[in-house]
Amino acid sequence: MLDLLDRVDLGLLWLNAQGQIKVCNQWLVDLAGLQSRPDGQTLTEAFGPEVDPKLLRAVEQALQLGRATRLSHAFHPTPLPLRARRGDPQQRMQQAVDVLPLRWLGAQGCLVQVRDLTEATRREQLLKQQARQLGHDLGELRIAQDELTRHSTRLRELTRLAPVALFETDLQGHLLYTNDRFLSLWNLSPAAILGRHWSALLPQQAALALAAPWAELMSTPDRIQRDVRIATPDADDRWLQLEAGALRNLDGAAFGYLASLVDVTALYRRAQHLEHRAHHDPLTGLPNREKLMQKLEGGLAAAQWLGQALRLIFIDLDGFKLVNDLHGHAAGDAVLQAIGQRARRVIRGEDVIARLAGDEFALMLSDAPTLAQVDAVMDKVMSAITEPIRYGDQWLSVGGSWGLASFPADGTDAGTLLAAADACMYAQKQARKRTQGERLGAVAGRSQ
Amino acid sequence: MVAPLDELESDALGEAFNMALGEAAASFAELVNEEITITVPNVELMAREALSQRLAALDLPGLGERLTAISQNFHSSDRKLSTEALLLFGERGGLEIVRRMLGETDMPLEQITELEQDALGEVGNIIINSCMSTLASIFGSEMQGTLPDVSQPRADQLFGAHSAGEVVLMVRIGMGLRSLDITGYVLFLMDLPSLTHVVARVRHYFGLDA
């Protein structure tokens, strides 16, 4: 029997009603470092003063009251002074002890069972440590998740409220995400648009123009900005401003593109309008002096390059002041508008007629016209000027004087050429006035 | 049909358990170096079925979930009286009380560990033994007991091993550790001969037959 008890992997003691040890298995003898089996000794005599008083009380209760008692490891880690079976021999064995009343061989007594919990304790501590770490990690993960959710919500709201159309594509340019403004810009639904190449939304010419800068995005850290003209046959042209940049991961590798589109049509129209106002005479709609000078410089550069002549004619109205004085400025304005319209009709598309100031006009003829061709054009222009103009129930008429300056003979720059044409016109006007004066004098002489 | 304890018997038993649980509270305080309060126990005698219905109807705190049950069997030396004593907590309550006693309230593990289960066994052992000391002195007989067995049964599995006709002496106690208030239930399950014996002994002990 004792041999059997010596082979079990736990400590066993049986004490009689007097609290004397009658059975002590080898497990306890070895681990308590006893010289021999403590037959007839009390617990304190056998194991020394380090025996936990709780254990002594439990034994007492078992023997006197028949109570069974569990001394858990948590509250009583080492009720008996036993050495640990592994590791540091100075370490105490972590134990759990059960004391239960037990009659044996007809005698009242109690059984003390000692379980070695050293390994279980170590494992459980490890488990608890891991659980705490896991709890901590989960807490951090939850915080990160909350932050991510907040971030994502913020981003979604920002893209929803953004005053521009936003879209994301993969590296091949296929649409992965668009905001509502993007959809309304193209009047499309997400189902119709996602997965398509974004440039398929553009006219072919614009798509081709953007292909190269879009491809460059992959290799440059910079963003690109381009204005794209959207020409549609059944609607006015639109202008969109595209700004795009690559999306990169932490290693710097691009994984897609994020881009915005802003409709800048209104800006373009306003700029065109301002540009027109800056270069045109508001009364006649003809180019003004500044525009003429620009055209003249362009024309001179071309003429110089081609080795051709260029003709500039300065025109000054005769009798315009009289119209103003007799019929008022509104009548004068009507005359200028009518002359502007007519003159535009009689010149070629590539020629330019401009109102310089007051009743002064200038006409630039490109393509090296001969003097005969100039005369032919001026005949038409002068007819347009001198033909009577209906103003209310009256007919108004003015005359005109003109002077020609040619490149390169009379000047090689715009200012010189214009001054030369002006001087020529003035000379012609003076000469005509003189001739008219002589004629009038001759007529007066004849009548005298 | 179970003869209920009359008011005098209940009060007398309550007083006796109160004294016994005072000892249990002192044992706890010694274990964890913290004062543990135990409320005045409420004692009732009822049929097992009636108790099940009562527990369900009252929706007593902590008993709607899985339970932590610590049980020990006792019998008198002449074997005339045998009973199974049960200490019940809600599963969460059992876990919290043992972790609070071990100073491990930050433990994120949802399940009770093996060593914690052992510790909980000791907690139940102290309470049940204290109660049983009271009963033993009332019975004038030693009550031999087994070691505590800890389990987590569902409420409907609680009385699995007992027949429906058995009676239950229920002692309801409240345990408090600092900010933690847990309600526990000590139940003594016994058969009819045991019950008859118990009631007779109670009446005799408190001089209620005179």
Side-chain angles (χ1 to χ4, degrees), chain B residues 55 60-70 86-94 120 150-159 185 187:
Chain B
L55 291 177
L60 292 169
L63 289 184
E65 52 187 313
R66 191 174 272 271
L67 306 171
T68 296
I70 302 132
L86 280 163
L87 173 64
L88 297 181
F89 296 113
E91 186 181 33
R92 217 38 264 158
L120 201 55
V150 183
S151 60
Q152 268 97 35
R154 286 203 317 267
D156 58 357
Q157 297 169 334
L158 189 60
F159 305 116
Y185 303 84
L187 310 178

Side-chain angles (χ1 to χ4, degrees), chain A residues 41 102 109 115 122 142 194 209 248 348 361 400 414 420 426 431:
Chain A
Q41 294 180 11
L102 184 75
R115 284 175 289 149
R122 190 190 65 77
R142 203 167 293 127
L194 293 180
R248 296 178 189 282
R348 297 175 306 168
F361 294 82
Y426 186 73

